[in-house]
Amino acid sequence: MKPKILVTREVFDETLAYLSQHCEVEANQEDRAFDAETLAAKLAGKDGVVCCLTDRVDAKLLERCARLKVVANIAVGYNNIDIAACTARGVMATNTPGVLDDSTADLAWALMLATARRLTELERRVRGGEWTGWKLKQWLGVDVHHATLGVFGLGRIGQAIARRAAGFEMKVLYHNRSRVRSDIEQRLDATYVTKDELLRQSDFVVLQVPYTPETHHMIGAAELKQMKRTAILINSTRGGVVDDAALIAALQEGTIRAAGLDVYENEPRLSPGFLGLDNVVLAPHVGSSTEATRRAMAMTAARNLVAVLSGSKPPNLLNPAACRT
Ligand code: DGY
């Protein structure tokens, strides 16, 4: 008998085909997000789940899923999963690191360039018929090249963002829980600084830390005040790392120049203040959303799940303590 699994959201055909070779699959190709009760009802009696950041996997849910052995998240971030609760119940949790580093770094850069050169604001003006001709002082932006880039979180994605800075001849600063190896610092020409130094010195502050209780609102009113008035903030990691209300106030008051955002507190609901601002570029959590990368992420999650249900250690295990193989 094949193990029974649930795939909570729509996935690619090849992902379903692969999973179906190994498992009895209940899919959701209509892509209706399940509420907590529906998810619990569907997961009861399942051996595994392929899920996304829109699914909350917590102790309450796990209590109702006695057979569950694996939670395979289609994302590198896993703040939607209570890892301790999984470990306590011997449920292995996995994520999809590596395959999305470059696409996510590209999107952070797209936000940097778009905010610096006011692209979305200016496109709105062009479409609205405001462009009447070339002028010397028209809609001036700021340079990215030769500016100082400050990266919070120099993990894989942070490193991919920093790597791209060489082409723009930027000075690269970073802050991390711990300093990265010196060969990585050298390769990236990146200098470790304190949080305060990074905020005070950077022209572009890019956030690439995971969302945890420690990083909740790590950028709030006090940190925004420490930044240069000309600085630009980029958040393409997780909503909640930034205090959105404080950011809206800072953008309205000119405490910083602009922000480029892919993620929000309470997404997909946006704090309404953002919508009235020209100095913010708003993207809908698409950091990893290229066709090739999303296909690779879905297959990575599927392979992690199949590994567990075949009795092996999955490649991207988040809680080794739950692994008894
Ligand atoms: C991730 O992998 O954490 C992304 O945010 C999902 O797109």
Side-chain angles (χ1 to χ4, degrees), residues 53 74-77 100 237-238 285 288 294 297:
L53 52 89
I74 309 182
V76 68
L100 46 63
T237 181
R238 279 291 181 273
H285 202 149
S288 60
R294 286 283 166 92
M297 289 166 67

Side-chain angles (χ1 to χ4, degrees), residues 118-286:
R118 305 168 56 176
L119 274 190
T120 53
E121 174 207 344
L122 297 188
E123 198 210 12
R124 278 193 298 275
R125 293 190 190 280
V126 171
R127 286 181 191 271
E130 279 183 59
W131 187 35
T132 52
W134 189 93
K135 290 182 196 155
L136 186 69
K137 288 165 67 180
Q138 196 169 46
W139 295 323
L140 303 174
V142 289
D143 286 325
V144 177
H145 66 265
H146 297 157
T148 297
L149 169 66
V151 182
F152 274 114
L154 205 67
R156 291 167 188 260
I157 299 173
Q159 288 178 32
I161 292 168
R163 208 159 47 235
R164 284 154 174 72
F168 286 76
E169 299 180 53
M170 295 177 90
K171 176 173 172 186
V172 180
L173 308 177
Y174 80 96
H175 183 75
N176 217 34
R177 260 176 316 186
S178 47
R179 239 176 123 146
V180 300
R181 291 198 324 258
S182 59
D183 60 309
I184 298 176
E185 285 187 352
Q186 273 162 26
R187 206 171 335 118
L188 298 172
D189 199 8
T191 305
Y192 179 82
V193 290
T194 63
K195 178 179 173 183
D196 290 349
E197 285 169 333
L198 189 145
L199 289 169
R200 279 198 227 104
Q201 293 175 28
S202 302
D203 300 305
F204 293 86
V205 172
V206 178
L207 306 175
Q208 207 48 69
V209 296
Y211 182 52
T212 64
E214 291 72 46
T215 61
H216 177 72
H217 285 188
M218 72 169 259
I219 301 295
E223 289 75 18
L224 290 159
K225 278 206 189 81
Q226 281 183 279
M227 289 170 65
K228 297 181 184 178
R229 289 188 85 81
T230 50
I232 290 176
L233 176 73
I234 304 296
N235 186 12
S236 53
T237 181
R238 279 291 181 273
V241 171
V242 175
D243 176 344
D244 282 356
L247 177 59
I248 290 167
L251 291 168
Q252 284 167 342
E253 289 156 16
T255 308
I256 62 169
R257 177 189 294 273
L261 306 174
D262 188 39
V263 289
Y264 311 86
E265 292 192 88
N266 310 315
E267 63 183 54
R269 274 178 292 124
L270 235 62
S271 302
F274 282 129
L275 299 177
L277 290 169
D278 272 337
N279 56 346
V280 62
V281 173
L282 305 169
H285 202 149
V286 286

